[in-house]
């Protein structure tokens, strides 16, 4: 493991988040070198501690999304806990939370209050619907973000039901957008000295990611439907059946289609009136799918992948997860599945952050904290509490 300090060395983050969207944001920032302090309630902590999968009774879910962080406990419902939190805010650069909008305000710890303690504080919030608008107080979860943001309406196969993305994409997009907003606010603070509130909604994040799908309706008035794996704007750009799995072929322009025809040993297709250009290939995608599928079924996914990529036509095996985690590019060269030593679990392969930096490597810096693991260091070093004070706070249920 590279022991460099990271681009965000010296930045202190108070992470109040739970489950996925917020913790994912915190992990991105922590892997980049920030000191991210996960602040949990003393009775149970983050909900994801009880979410599977489990190894030796310990949550792998929690471990993956909270590695690289320090951990302390604090009861924010107590007056003393609130005062302690305000003292932490004075020492911090960033706060992240994913409570339902209004929760922190009810605690007296909303952005308007906390910026009085520290005008430079950057306050990042990710929620289902954001902190403004008629639906802001609704509870929001990943599947709701995917549904309301339009993603589910266009995911799946013609005639089938609306389908959630296999991964919690709404939460991941929310976490990414929160990190982007926070880092932009951090740059601006260097110029102005002032903090900012960053308000991210899962539904907005999904709606933003719809991009070309939304444009179809805005340009033509046609409501896009579920079309499986093919692409609306070009073809062949789809999944095709091999004799041992599925393969993606992305021959998205005339040059690439020409290469595909040559590899299939069917050069006459280039002059077929149905397939002369992108527009005609999209219009006749059913016919072209049958032709390409007849060819792909003769070969394995590995053979198709090599034939096409060697010739310069983009293609890919549809990796199952067992293949993904040992892929020579993703797992090997890009180091996307490193191991950490997680207390209670042992060696644990986790999913790394995708940002690859040339001089300051982003990587998992430590295991996810046990509940309250760093109470003594955090309260001692940041706030100057002695052991007796920390013991007293623990006995009172404040930490």
């Amino acid at each position: 493991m590279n022991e460099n300090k990271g681009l965000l060395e010296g930045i202190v983050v108070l992470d109040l988040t739970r489950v996925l969207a917020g913790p994912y944001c915190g992990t991105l920032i922590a892997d980049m070198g920030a000191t991210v302090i996960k602040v949990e309630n003393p009775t149970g902590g983050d909900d994801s501690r009880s979410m599977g999968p489990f190894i030796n009774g310990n949550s792998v879910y929690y471990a993956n999304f909270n590695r690289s962080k320090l951990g302390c406990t604090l009861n924010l419902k107590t007056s003393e806990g609130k005062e302690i939190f305000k003292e932490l805010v004075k020492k911090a650069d960033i706060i992240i939370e994913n409570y339902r909008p209004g929760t922190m305000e009810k605690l007296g710890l909303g952005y308007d209050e906390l910026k009085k303690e520290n005008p430079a504080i950057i306050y990042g919030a990710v929620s289902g619907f954001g902190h403004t608008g008629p639906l802001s107080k609704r509870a929001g979860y990943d599947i709701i973000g995917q549904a309301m943001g339009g993603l589910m309406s266009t995911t799946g196969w013609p005639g089938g039901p609306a389908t959630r993305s296999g991964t919690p994409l709404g939460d991941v997009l929310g976490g990414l957008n929160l990190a982007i907003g926070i880092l932009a606010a951090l740059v601006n603070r260097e110029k102005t000295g002032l903090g900012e509130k960053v308000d991210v909604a899962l539904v907005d994040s999904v709606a933003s990611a719809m991009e070309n799908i939304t444009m179809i309706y805005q340009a033509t008035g046609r409501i896009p439907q579920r079309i499986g794996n093919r692409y609306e704007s070009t073809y062949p750009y789809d999944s095709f059946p091999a004799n041992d799995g599925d393969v993606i072929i992305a021959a998205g322009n005339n040059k690439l289609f020409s290469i595909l025809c040559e590899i299939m040993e069917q050069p006459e297709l280039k002059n077929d009136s149905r397939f002369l250009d992108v527009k005609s290939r999209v219009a006749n995608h059913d016919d072209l799918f049958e032709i390409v599928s007849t060819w792909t079924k003769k070969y394995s996914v590995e053979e198709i992948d090599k034939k096409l990529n060697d010739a310069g036509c983009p293609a890919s095996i549809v990796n199952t997860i067992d293949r993904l985690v040992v892929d020579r590019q993703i797992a090997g060269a890009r180091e996307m599945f490193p191991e950490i030593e997680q207390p209670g679990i042992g060696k644990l392969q986790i999913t790394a952050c995708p940002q690859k930096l040339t001089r300051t490597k982003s990587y998992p810096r430590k295991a996810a904290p046990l509940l309250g693991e760093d109470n003594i260091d955090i309260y001692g070093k940041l706030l100057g509490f002695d052991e007796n004070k920390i013991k007293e706070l623990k006995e009172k249920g404040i930490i």
Side-chain angles (χ1 to χ4, degrees):
M1 183 180 290
N2 188 333
E3 293 300 329
N4 70 75
K5 293 181 179 180
L7 286 177
L8 297 179
E9 179 201 357
I11 298 297
V12 176
V13 183
L14 302 177
D15 181 352
L16 303 177
T17 65
R18 306 99 60 227
V19 191
L20 204 166
Y24 182 68
C25 169
T27 293
L28 290 172
I29 295 171
D31 279 1
M32 291 183 194
T35 299
V36 177
I37 301 170
K38 188 167 181 74
V39 183
E40 299 179 80
N41 70 74
T43 55
D46 187 332
D47 298 342
S48 68
R49 287 185 181 273
S50 60
M51 294 179 178
F54 299 98
I55 296 177
N56 301 328
N58 295 283
S59 171
V60 174
Y61 191 124
Y62 176 85
N64 189 64
F65 292 115
N66 293 284
R67 81 308 178 101
S68 299
K69 302 176 185 179
L70 303 175
C72 72
T73 50
L74 186 61
N75 187 346
L76 295 178
K77 293 182 178 178
T78 66
S79 58
E80 193 167 358
K82 292 173 186 177
E83 291 306 311
I84 290 172
F85 184 71
K86 289 178 180 179
E87 291 303 311
L88 288 172
V89 168
K90 293 175 183 177
K91 306 287 185 179
D93 299 283
I94 297 165
I95 300 164
I96 56 175
E97 56 99 343
N98 60 348
Y99 293 114
R100 192 183 302 197
T103 300
M104 289 292 281
E105 285 74 14
K106 287 180 182 177
L107 291 171
L109 299 172
Y111 174 63
D112 287 341
E113 288 300 317
L114 295 180
K115 71 179 181 181
K116 295 174 185 176
E117 306 292 335
N118 180 356
I121 198 71
I122 294 165
Y123 185 105
V126 57
S127 59
F129 300 90
H131 281 222
T132 59
L135 305 184
S136 63
K137 296 298 193 290
R138 281 190 183 182
Y141 293 91
D142 170 76
I143 194 169
I144 293 173
Q146 291 198 33
M148 191 168 175
L151 181 61
M152 287 178 65
S153 74
T154 58
T155 303
W157 296 91
T163 304
R164 182 183 72 83
S165 168
T167 188
L169 195 56
D171 276 338
V172 171
L173 288 169
L176 282 170
N177 282 314
L178 185 62
I180 292 167
I182 285 169
L183 294 176
L186 198 59
V187 171
N188 184 64
R189 195 183 70 178
E190 291 297 307
K191 296 182 287 185
T192 66
L194 296 174
E196 186 76 72
K197 181 177 179 179
V198 181
D199 172 15
V200 171
L202 300 188
V203 292
D204 295 350
S205 297
V206 173
S208 173
M210 296 298 288
E211 289 293 350
N212 63 306
I213 299 296
T214 309
M215 286 189 290
I216 290 168
Y217 174 73
Q218 291 170 332
T220 70
R222 176 172 63 84
I223 301 172
Q225 303 296 313
R226 292 179 283 281
I227 58 171
N229 290 330
R230 79 176 173 88
Y231 202 61
E232 283 264 11
S233 303
T234 190
Y235 206 81
Y237 198 97
D238 204 345
S239 62
F240 298 90
N243 64 25
D244 63 345
D246 293 310
V247 65
I248 296 296
I249 298 175
N253 59 37
N254 289 343
K255 178 183 177 181
L256 296 175
F257 181 64
S258 176
I259 294 172
L260 174 62
C261 293
E262 294 293 338
I263 295 298
M264 293 194 301
E265 298 181 349
Q266 298 183 64
E268 68 279 4
L269 293 176
K270 289 183 280 184
N271 298 313
D272 190 311
S273 61
R274 297 170 296 171
F275 312 132
L276 285 176
D277 54 26
V278 169
K279 187 175 180 180
S280 61
R281 290 193 290 272
V282 170
N284 295 289
H285 63 85
D286 284 336
D287 291 346
L288 191 49
F289 178 84
E290 291 303 321
I291 292 168
V292 176
S293 293
T294 298
W295 176 74
T296 57
K297 287 175 183 177
K298 299 175 184 177
Y299 302 98
S300 70
V301 292
E302 296 277 1
E303 290 171 324
I304 297 166
D305 181 85
K306 181 169 175 53
K307 283 176 182 289
L308 291 179
N309 280 298
D310 283 356
C313 180
S316 173
I317 298 165
V318 177
N319 271 339
T320 50
I321 303 305
D322 58 320
R323 296 180 67 121
L324 172 67
V325 297
V326 295
D327 185 276
R328 62 176 182 164
Q329 172 69 20
I330 302 165
R334 302 294 289 179
E335 300 180 313
M336 282 302 296
F337 300 102
E339 280 189 344
I340 60 172
E341 189 72 31
Q342 180 66 39
I345 291 177
K347 288 192 181 301
L348 176 66
Q349 193 175 43
I350 53 99
T351 305
C353 294
Q355 295 81 15
K356 307 300 179 185
L357 306 167
T358 54
R359 292 189 299 107
T360 50
K361 187 174 179 181
S362 175
Y363 64 91
R365 294 164 188 276
K366 64 178 288 293
L370 301 174
L371 188 61
E373 178 180 313
D374 302 295
N375 277 351
I376 293 175
D377 280 346
I378 290 167
Y379 292 122
K381 292 179 181 177
L382 279 183
L383 301 185
F385 294 174
D386 60 25
E387 288 189 23
N388 289 333
K389 174 70 171 178
I390 293 171
K391 182 180 178 182
E392 176 191 341
L393 291 171
K394 185 174 177 62
E395 289 172 349
K396 290 164 67 175
I398 293 169
I399 66 172

